[in-house]
Amino acid sequence: MAKEKSGGGILETVKTVVYALLIAGVFRTLFFQPFWIPSGSMKDTLLIGDFLFVNKMAYGYSYASCPSVIVPALGLDIDARDICGIFDGDNERLFGQQPERGDVVVFRHPGTGRDFIKRLIGLPGERIQMRDGVLYINDEPVSVEPDGTFTEVAAPQGPQQLRPRCANAPVGPGGVCEKEKFVETLPGGHSHSILNIASQGSDNTPVYTVPEGHYFFMGDNRDNSADSRVPSVVGGVGFVPFENLIGRANRVVFSSAGSSMLFFWTWRGDRFFEKIE
């Protein structure tokens, strides 16, 4: 009798775990996906170590709404296409809603399939260009106003131990790393912060005409962002299909300045539930 109870208890435990995983999978697929900022391409809007939930209901659903399961330590690399590939290829979405210019969006990289987060700059049919570090949309410059200086410690950041680039370089370890800060206002009135580090090739680009059903994305840390200014086949992002959008980032839940979000003593107290502009 005791053995029967023991066996039944193990079975119930396994069923509970399976049900919990199924519920969590459905929740993540349909509603919200956790995302931890791994790089500095969206500073100072998003910092390395920011933890947020992505609203997957914002733009409807496609194959990209299914989660990828990547655990290198266990050798797991299950792509969203492996789970929901049947819905891939038509560039359509169920309950699809068009994103708005200025949204901070998590999307699947068109080449690698990895999750990226950038700001939506260009809509289908528009012409996008950078001239001397200024963004032009349909041949018109956007408004850019100086907004002081962004500062941070010149030290390795996050689990990848990335060192920030500095406009006042060279800066020794532990020194004050500075970047020029501006407020950029896009057509339609959306304003957000952007950073400038130095004059470089990405400050002057050809004119990009965004194809129908695609979008043009850029990082707010303009000189430190692999984005739509460079094609995906050569290390950038290129144009992103509508079906590759995962969701909109609205608010930072909490933020860790350390190498792990579990190190609570490194959490940034001023970023709890910070709204993403």
Side-chain angles (χ1 to χ4, degrees):
M1 187 66 115
K3 289 183 179 180
E4 290 181 7
K5 288 183 178 179
S6 176
I10 294 174
L11 180 60
E12 288 301 316
T13 299
V14 170
K15 288 168 61 177
T16 300
V17 171
V18 170
Y19 291 152
L21 291 174
L22 287 174
I23 293 171
V26 170
F27 183 86
R28 179 174 174 177
T29 299
L30 297 180
F31 302 111
F32 296 97
Q33 174 177 318
F35 193 85
W36 194 22
I37 304 300
S39 74
S41 68
M42 283 295 292
K43 291 178 182 176
D44 66 333
T45 303
L46 296 171
L47 304 180
I48 294 177
D50 280 354
F51 182 83
L52 48 91
F53 282 98
V54 179
N55 180 2
K56 304 183 81 169
M57 299 175 284
Y59 311 129
Y61 304 97
S62 71
Y63 86 95
S65 301
C66 286
S68 295
V69 182
I70 303 171
V71 186
L74 300 178
L76 285 178
D77 190 352
I78 302 173
D79 189 81
R81 282 192 174 94
D82 298 330
I83 304 172
C84 296
I86 190 174
F87 303 112
D88 182 21
D90 59 3
N91 204 23
E92 298 289 339
R93 306 182 72 89
L94 181 65
F95 308 125
Q97 299 181 52
Q98 296 296 320
E100 296 183 3
R101 191 196 317 276
D103 285 357
V104 175
V105 180
V106 172
F107 58 87
R108 283 176 54 84
H109 188 284
T112 67
R114 296 298 189 251
D115 292 350
F116 268 49
I117 185 166
K118 306 288 181 185
R119 189 177 299 277
L120 197 161
I121 297 295
L123 304 175
E126 293 186 329
R127 298 182 305 279
I128 309 297
Q129 186 180 25
M130 294 292 292
R131 303 181 195 171
D132 297 322
V134 176
L135 172 64
Y136 281 70
I137 300 178
N138 294 328
D139 305 315
E140 294 292 331
V142 304
S143 172
V144 179
E145 297 292 336
D147 191 34
T149 303
F150 172 74
T151 63
E152 57 187 337
V153 178
Q157 300 177 355
Q160 299 180 39
Q161 295 293 279
L162 301 175
R163 292 187 61 88
R165 292 178 58 202
C166 310
N168 59 328
V171 179
V176 178
C177 178
E178 298 179 352
K179 297 176 179 63
E180 294 179 294
K181 185 177 177 182
F182 300 86
V183 173
E184 180 179 81
T185 302
L186 301 173
H190 186 283
S191 296
H192 57 274
S193 174
I194 61 172
L195 302 181
N196 178 64
I197 301 172
S199 296
Q200 57 186 51
S202 57
D203 289 334
N204 291 280
T205 71
V207 176
Y208 303 98
T209 301
V210 186
E212 288 301 317
H214 292 70
Y215 298 91
F216 193 97
F217 289 90
M218 294 177 67
D220 291 348
N221 191 2
R222 291 286 163 81
D223 294 337
N224 198 52
S225 174
D227 50 39
S228 292
R229 290 172 287 180
V230 178
S232 62
V233 294
V234 290
V237 169
F239 303 120
V240 178
F242 184 37
E243 67 179 352
N244 279 38
L245 307 189
I246 294 174
R248 183 177 62 229
N250 294 328
R251 196 174 293 273
V252 174
V253 178
F254 68 88
S255 181
S256 172
S259 59
S260 171
M261 65 179 179
L262 300 178
F263 297 166
F264 63 87
W265 57 90
T266 67
W267 290 2
R268 302 178 178 106
D270 60 338
R271 294 188 67 77
F272 279 85
F273 303 105
E274 178 82 7
K275 185 178 180 181
I276 298 173
E277 299 290 350

